[in-house]
Amino acid sequence: MRASLFITCYNDTLFPQTGRAVVRLLERLGVSIDFLPAQTCCGQMHANTGFRGEAFSQAKRFVQLYRDTECVVIPSSSCVAMIRDQYPGLFEELGNDDLRKQFAALLPRVFELSEFLTDKLGVEDVGAYFPHRVAYHASCHGLRGLHIGERPFRLLSKVRELKLTPIANLDRCCGFGGTFSVKNAEVSTAMLDAKLTDLLATDAEYCTALDNSCLMHVGGALHRRNLKMRPIHFAEILASTEGVYL
Amino acid sequence: MSGPVMDPRLAPPFPKAALPILQNTQLRKNVAHATDVIQTKRNRLVAEKTDWQELRTSAAAIRAHVLANLATYLDEFEKKCTAAGGVVHWARDAAEARQIIIAILQEEQATEVIKIKTMTSAEIQLNPALEAAGIIAIETDLAELILQLGQDEPSHIVVPALHVNRQQVREIFARRMGLPQLPDDPEALTAAARTYLRKKFLSVPTAISGANFLIAENGSVAIVESEGNGRMCLTLPRTLITLAGIEKVLPRFSDLEVLLQVLARSATGERLNPYNSLWSGVVPGDGPQRFHVVLLDNGRSEILGRKVERQTLQCIRCAACLNTCPVYRQTGGHAYGSPYAGPIGAILTPQLEHMRHGQSLPYASSLCAACYEVCPVKINIPEVLIDLRAKVVDQEREEVKRWTDPMYMGMKAANLVFASESRFRLAQWFGRLGLRLFTDKDGWIRKLPSLGARWTLSRDLPAMPDQTFRNWWAEREGRGGKEAR
Amino acid sequence: MISNSRQMILDRIRAATRSETNRYDEISRGYIRAGTLDSNGRIHLMTERLHEYGADVVECAPAEIRQAILRQIQLSGKHKIVIPPGLSADWLGEGVNWLPDKDLTHDQIEACEGVLTASSAGIADSGTIVLHHGTEEGRRVISLLPDFHLCILYASQIVETLPEYFSRFPDPPRLATYISGPSATADIEMTRIKGVHGPRFLSVIIVRDDS
């Protein structure tokens, strides 16, 4: 199987280790990875901030770039939610018939990483080893946007030596929200405080999620407060094997 | 103490209005407690309902059907209500609605009027107008009474005084009702309100209500409540005025079989509200013998014409979106600067203001979509929020100050960057270089300038890695690829 | 000016909804309409719900209504009871100060300690008593001001679900009050307090006309 990796703009720039982990994980499972260097951003930041025309140009770029690929894997649930939930509206308003058709044909082939593993590859045990206590933070876009459900838990439950520590108020936002964290920094911080309280109560060593955006937010506060818990992307846990941590 | 400003034309933007509230630990504790209690009850009762999703689907479909056929149903409601002895008035905007109501009250020679909690009345700022006309408005909902006597403002659509605790209520009642010995247990406080209001119910001959639903089929009005103050106001006075938004209509009496179920569960976590009242026009010998309905547009017909935004009008004011909203749970209602708080307020208020006020409200959300998930009439609030943000940005595009707005300029620059691979690479390179200036020796950024300072207010940022993913990939491909790390 | 606004609003609405087809009979109705319980099950559920709300419930045979009413009133300790004008005289036993509502003033009703009414339906799922305010249920005010409401509900009037109530009454009543528990508030710190303005005590006699 071939999969084209859409790494996303912020993972590319700030969290390359997540991309490396995805490559390691998928290649271990026998998937050939392509990486189209012309990729940039899905347009989520612009769309969610109200820059509709700008978001459209990025959405169009995405579709034109990936329309001929076998399937696209994205290690970020919010970017996948952007594509599924917002592209249709953008293309209906600003696109033409060609673009809409191309998008409709591409959409079923776009997967978030955990979806790709469970739905497309049909695996739950990816052969990972991660001997730590881990709290899973359900990012809003994965939970309510993609209805990701039990997939991440099924995958994590098969990781050897990993101990999952349940977190209270699993469905509550960490307060990131893209530009919300800047435009409403104080409220965002109050939400983050509440999330940290729930996280710290788990006594986990790592906090993981499908999205580095939430993890950047949570991790930034953990570091600010000199706390030991560390953020780690879901892919990095699944890529880990005995002797090789990412 | 200057109270919160609840007029969207005058209120400070949301982030600023939220600041003093975030400092008020007592208020935040009260809000968190109340929303927790309601949400737990709501979740329990929704879970027991095996057809909950089907009920939501039907409720949304009924409301959408009404909106698509609104003129027909309003026309039918007016005919049936009039035939049943009611008088129907139409108000284009808040000012006209106030004028109509005051004219009726003056004709009744009213000096006092008892009121059932109504959001629409707060929307049109009715109480100050009544006061200016020399008419004393008496709020009869316990929470509204607490706020009125305490000169405070509502912070929730269903439980407006959730930010006030029992000691504060005791203090207000003791002072305003002249009861210095009043204890602070809720039972005693409620009893004090009962005694205080009983006299009013039995003596004031005019009342104002809102409406939960208007039924087109027979011109009746439905009101749901818990305390019985509603029944008092609907039954005892000589004259009743009902103020209702034009979107409140339902086609048939039997549509209540869906809407009452979803409303009660969503609003208060009950299977049905303790009291539901329905009446058509004037019933000889029973209840008010003069009955007026004021149908209020106030921007609603404009919302109706917008494709994405129309669903805003499906709202049945259950406030489930407030209780679940992580933003509302931190700030309570006052930060929204409008009687309509929380996610629904964030989309409704700016639209009622024709997008001329309240533009910060669509941004008062992390787009977590918890609101959409609980909404009993399936309003896709995040979708509307995003669409309204686009309208706000379209306004910014015309403003000169955009050139000095770092967010605006940043977005424009980012768009140029994302349009080309080489520009994106270049931006990554410059970004790394720029961030180095702010990176401490341990590889962490603790303080950034400008917009970045809003991030580093509470969050550190890891330094930008030396190698982007794309560079690593290119290097690996150069080496022949297929080898981990 | 007012009719002017009417026209203007309706015109705006019509302009906003022009050329739309959204038909009433196409609304999806996948929710549960009919219940599955038999008469005993419905009564059991109704009773359970009423108890949850703190209401008092007793059952009696059709021939025992009069005695059951007397007993409940004695237990309540009330004496002066207002009744709707059309209430069956067979229900009214000795030893109670019955006050028929013949244009009583609000103050006269307020001076009563309780009210006895029939009812139009019971909805078991929510423990709801339905009043349509006919001559056996009386004007709205009589079941509002007195602190104690004694209500007669026939087993055959009890439906399981709210939609079943609506199918039973295809013609909308002119007036309706649905009572699902005594007057209550949770406005102070979400503490549920019974009895704000409506009757604080609700007592229901279920008449077993089903066996």
Side-chain angles (χ1 to χ4, degrees):
Chain A
M1 175 162 325
R2 295 195 76 80
S4 198
L5 174 61
F6 181 72
I7 185 64
T8 77
C9 59
Y10 72 104
N11 279 328
D12 184 9
T13 311
L14 296 169
F15 305 100
Q17 72 277 17
T18 298
R20 297 200 297 269
V22 174
V23 172
R24 179 170 199 266
L25 169 68
L26 293 185
E27 287 186 345
R28 190 171 78 213
L29 296 169
V31 180
S32 317
I33 310 265
D34 289 329
F35 181 83
L36 303 178
Q39 63 179 277
T40 56
C41 172
C42 67
Q44 183 186 188
M45 178 177 77
H46 283 94
N48 286 355
T49 312
F51 290 78
R52 215 170 156 71
E54 290 81 354
F56 168 72
S57 62
Q58 289 152 41
K60 191 167 91 181
R61 184 181 171 86
F62 178 89
V63 173
Q64 288 172 345
L65 195 60
Y66 287 98
R67 64 186 167 198
D68 297 324
T69 54
E70 193 179 321
C71 63
V72 188
V73 178
I74 306 177
S76 167
S77 72
S78 70
C79 302
V80 179
M82 166 71 191
I83 293 163
R84 285 199 196 141
D85 294 345
Q86 296 204 53
Y87 279 20
L90 285 174
F91 292 159
E92 196 185 309
E93 189 185 323
L94 303 167
N96 58 26
D97 274 345
D98 272 357
L99 186 61
R100 285 190 280 269
K101 272 189 206 129
Q102 286 168 12
F103 172 67
L106 171 63
L107 187 58
R109 291 179 279 131
V110 175
F111 295 90
E112 183 278 329
L113 177 66
S114 67
E115 291 173 341
F116 182 76
L117 294 168
T118 56
D119 303 357
K120 185 78 178 168
L121 295 185
V123 293
E124 288 184 2
D125 187 345
V126 297
Y129 169 81
F130 196 75
H132 297 286
R133 293 187 304 278
V134 175
Y136 172 78
H137 164 70
S139 56
C140 301
H141 284 107
L143 186 70
R144 286 177 286 263
L146 306 185
H147 303 286
I148 208 79
E150 293 294 308
R151 290 181 187 85
F153 292 103
R154 294 208 305 265
L155 288 157
L156 287 174
S157 70
K158 298 283 163 52
V159 175
R160 274 171 297 128
E161 300 295 321
L162 182 146
K163 188 174 178 297
L164 202 58
T165 57
I167 171 172
N169 301 308
L170 179 72
D171 58 353
R172 201 165 289 158
C173 177
C174 73
F176 173 63
T179 46
F180 172 80
S181 63
V182 173
K183 276 182 175 273
N184 279 285
E186 289 82 4
V187 178
S188 163
T189 297
M191 291 158 72
L192 179 56
D193 285 346
K195 181 54 71 180
L196 281 196
T197 306
D198 289 335
L199 265 177
L200 294 174
T202 67
D203 193 37
E205 297 159 84
Y206 288 90
C207 170
T208 192
L210 302 178
D211 294 70
N212 270 326
S213 45
C214 312
L215 291 173
M216 178 170 78
H217 194 231
V218 169
L222 289 170
H223 190 266
R224 169 69 53 94
R225 300 187 193 181
N226 293 315
L227 294 163
K228 278 203 296 248
M229 188 185 294
R230 287 175 50 198
I232 184 169
H233 191 276
F234 192 69
E236 294 165 44
I237 291 181
L238 297 188
S240 299
T241 48
E242 265 109 337
V244 184
Y245 275 26
L246 286 140
Chain B
M1 187 189 96
S2 73
V5 184
M6 300 304 276
D7 179 348
R9 291 157 203 235
L10 308 169
F14 182 86
K16 199 172 162 215
L19 288 180
I21 297 163
L22 292 173
Q23 304 302 319
N24 189 339
T25 43
Q26 183 62 57
L27 183 147
R28 287 176 65 199
K29 229 172 90 183
N30 298 348
V31 172
H33 169 69
T35 48
D36 273 342
V37 171
I38 309 176
Q39 234 201 327
T40 307
K41 282 174 73 186
R42 179 254 172 216
N43 291 347
R44 199 173 60 225
L45 281 196
V46 164
E48 77 170 23
K49 199 78 190 147
T50 52
D51 57 345
W52 179 249
Q53 292 307 334
E54 288 80 8
L55 280 168
R56 277 182 83 209
T57 302
S58 295
I62 292 168
R63 297 294 299 139
H65 167 79
V66 164
L67 295 177
N69 300 279
L70 190 56
T72 311
Y73 287 125
L74 283 172
D75 197 54
E76 189 184 352
F77 172 81
E78 183 187 37
K79 280 199 184 80
K80 298 289 167 62
C81 179
T82 308
V87 182
V88 177
H89 310 258
W90 301 71
R92 270 171 296 183
D93 53 24
E96 192 176 7
R98 293 192 297 259
Q99 209 180 329
I100 292 168
I101 292 170
I102 289 170
I104 297 169
L105 291 173
Q106 282 169 342
E107 200 170 309
E108 296 284 330
Q109 297 181 319
T111 53
E112 286 181 305
V113 61
I114 45 177
K115 289 183 70 198
I116 311 179
K117 187 174 96 62
T118 141
M119 296 307 299
T120 329
S121 150
E123 174 189 327
I124 66 166
Q125 313 261 347
L126 182 60
N127 286 5
L130 291 176
E131 197 184 335
I135 301 161
I136 300 167
I138 301 153
E139 295 290 350
T140 65
D141 173 74
L142 177 57
E144 291 283 355
L145 178 70
I146 292 167
L147 298 176
Q148 188 176 40
L149 295 180
Q151 292 175 302
D152 196 350
E153 295 289 345
S155 67
H156 190 281
I157 291 172
V158 171
V159 276
L162 89 169
H163 60 286
V164 184
N165 65 16
R166 62 180 75 188
Q167 288 82 19
Q168 293 163 316
V169 176
R170 192 213 84 86
E171 188 278 319
I172 293 164
F173 281 8
R175 182 160 47 84
R176 298 295 305 272
M177 295 177 182
L179 302 166
Q181 304 302 320
L182 191 64
D184 71 0
D185 68 283
E187 191 122 15
L189 295 169
T190 304
R194 179 183 168 106
T195 312
Y196 178 82
L197 286 171
R198 199 78 175 183
K199 289 174 251 165
K200 302 291 182 188
F201 288 136
L202 288 165
S203 64
V204 179
T206 43
I208 293 174
S209 84
N212 288 97
F213 304 105
L214 308 172
I215 313 292
E217 181 183 11
N218 68 335
S220 69
V221 183
I223 289 210
V224 312
E225 50 140 353
S226 303
E227 294 173 9
N229 66 307
R231 292 175 70 191
M232 294 281 180
C233 292
L234 302 176
T235 308
L236 300 179
R238 177 185 71 215
T239 301
L240 171 64
I241 305 168
T242 293
L243 171 67
I246 51 172
E247 82 283 17
K248 288 283 179 186
V249 67
L250 291 181
R252 297 191 188 162
F253 172 59
S254 59
D255 291 317
L256 290 172
E257 72 187 22
V258 177
L259 287 143
L260 290 180
Q261 291 200 64
V262 295
L263 176 57
R265 281 184 159 76
S266 302
T268 48
E270 292 169 303
R271 295 186 182 90
L272 273 189
N273 299 75
Y275 296 140
N276 292 340
S277 295
L278 278 132
W279 73 98
S280 309
V282 171
V283 180
D286 191 337
Q289 296 299 295
R290 296 175 204 165
F291 174 52
H292 301 264
V293 178
V294 182
L295 297 173
L296 175 72
D297 184 340
N298 202 30
R300 287 165 173 78
S301 56
E302 200 179 306
I303 302 174
L304 193 67
R306 297 200 205 104
K307 194 167 158 276
V308 175
E309 279 80 0
R310 176 188 288 184
Q311 54 186 317
T312 311
L313 300 175
Q314 288 177 203
C315 179
I316 55 171
R317 308 284 189 265
C318 73
C321 62
L322 279 67
N323 302 327
T324 196
C325 176
V327 173
Y328 176 88
R329 292 171 59 87
Q330 296 299 335
T331 65
H334 292 162
Y336 293 81
S338 153
Y340 301 111
I344 188 66
I347 61 173
L348 183 58
T349 301
Q351 296 191 75
L352 292 177
E353 295 296 330
H354 310 280
M355 297 308 290
R356 287 195 283 268
H357 305 279
Q359 291 101 326
S360 67
L361 292 175
Y363 290 94
S365 164
S366 64
L367 302 178
C368 82
C371 46
Y372 181 29
E373 194 175 59
V374 298
C375 179
V377 290
K378 290 191 173 175
I379 303 172
N380 189 336
I381 294 179
E383 180 184 59
V384 180
L385 285 166
I386 290 169
D387 212 70
L388 294 176
R389 289 177 184 189
K391 291 188 162 53
V392 174
V393 168
D394 284 344
Q395 291 178 354
E396 287 174 2
R397 291 183 206 274
E398 307 296 317
E399 291 167 357
V400 179
K401 70 173 189 220
R402 72 186 185 277
W403 302 114
T404 54
D405 176 356
M407 180 66 85
Y408 185 90
M409 294 310 289
M411 285 289 158
K412 294 303 285 183
N415 187 50
L416 286 177
V417 163
F418 290 143
S420 120
E421 181 192 344
S422 52
R423 279 201 291 262
F424 185 48
R425 282 175 179 282
L426 203 65
Q428 289 179 320
W429 189 82
F430 272 114
R432 184 181 306 112
L433 209 65
L435 282 179
R436 236 172 240 169
L437 295 170
F438 305 98
T439 307
D440 294 340
K441 281 199 192 92
D442 61 354
W444 282 85
I445 298 163
R446 291 180 174 80
K447 207 169 165 48
L448 282 168
S450 182
L451 274 183
R454 308 289 295 142
W455 176 270
T456 51
L457 174 79
S458 58
R459 298 147 290 211
D460 292 342
L461 190 68
M464 210 174 124
D466 289 336
Q467 194 180 39
T468 59
F469 177 79
R470 65 178 59 239
N471 286 342
W472 172 81
W473 179 269
E475 209 178 280
R476 189 181 100 127
E477 292 295 286
R479 290 198 307 268
K482 186 113 184 147
E483 140 265 356
R485 306 177 65 125
Chain C
M1 192 193 82
I2 283 165
S3 62
N4 197 358
S5 291
R6 178 188 190 277
Q7 199 53 48
M8 187 180 267
I9 294 168
L10 286 173
D11 284 350
R12 278 194 212 150
I13 293 172
R14 288 196 180 102
T17 54
R18 201 180 309 130
S19 77
E20 283 188 44
T21 49
N22 181 326
R23 289 161 44 119
Y24 186 78
D25 53 13
E26 284 167 3
I27 292 171
S28 116
R29 305 264 178 184
Y31 52 89
I32 296 170
R33 284 164 178 269
T36 54
L37 299 174
D38 63 6
S39 185
N40 276 329
R42 284 194 295 273
I43 290 165
H44 181 78
L45 182 61
M46 182 83 199
T47 306
E48 194 178 288
R49 296 294 192 238
L50 285 165
H51 281 158
E52 278 176 37
Y53 294 129
D56 207 19
V57 190
V58 292
E59 291 180 23
C60 76
E64 303 164 352
I65 299 181
R66 184 192 180 98
Q67 293 92 313
I69 291 172
L70 273 184
R71 197 161 50 239
Q72 289 311 105
I73 289 179
Q74 270 162 13
L75 282 173
S76 75
K78 315 282 182 188
H79 303 284
K80 195 172 175 189
I81 307 289
V82 60
I83 48 170
L87 208 64
S88 164
D90 295 344
W91 290 5
L92 309 176
E94 303 286 318
V96 176
N97 183 0
W98 301 112
L99 192 68
D101 173 30
K102 290 186 185 125
D103 296 325
L104 295 176
T105 65
H106 294 167
D107 287 334
Q108 286 172 310
I109 299 166
E110 170 81 350
C112 290
E113 294 168 293
V115 58
L116 168 67
T117 72
S119 53
S120 287
I123 303 158
D125 177 51
S126 49
T128 301
I129 302 285
V130 174
L131 302 179
H132 286 172
H133 302 287
T135 53
E136 294 183 301
E137 293 155 42
R139 295 192 290 158
R140 287 176 289 172
V141 62
I142 65 165
S143 46
L144 177 61
L145 291 180
D147 210 17
F148 169 67
H149 183 183
L150 178 58
C151 184
I152 309 299
L153 177 66
Y154 285 90
S156 58
Q157 292 181 304
I158 302 176
V159 294
E160 184 180 335
T161 68
L162 187 63
E164 283 173 312
Y165 156 72
F166 282 96
S167 356
R168 228 179 236 214
F169 295 94
D171 292 329
R174 191 77 192 266
L175 288 172
T177 305
Y178 307 155
I179 300 167
S180 312
S183 157
T185 185
D187 275 343
I188 302 172
E189 295 187 6
M190 306 312 294
T191 310
R192 192 177 165 89
I193 304 292
K194 251 174 71 173
V196 196
H197 305 297
R200 277 182 284 195
F201 306 96
L202 175 65
S203 180
V204 180
I205 297 174
I206 298 178
V207 183
R208 299 296 303 247
D209 62 344
D210 56 330
S211 46

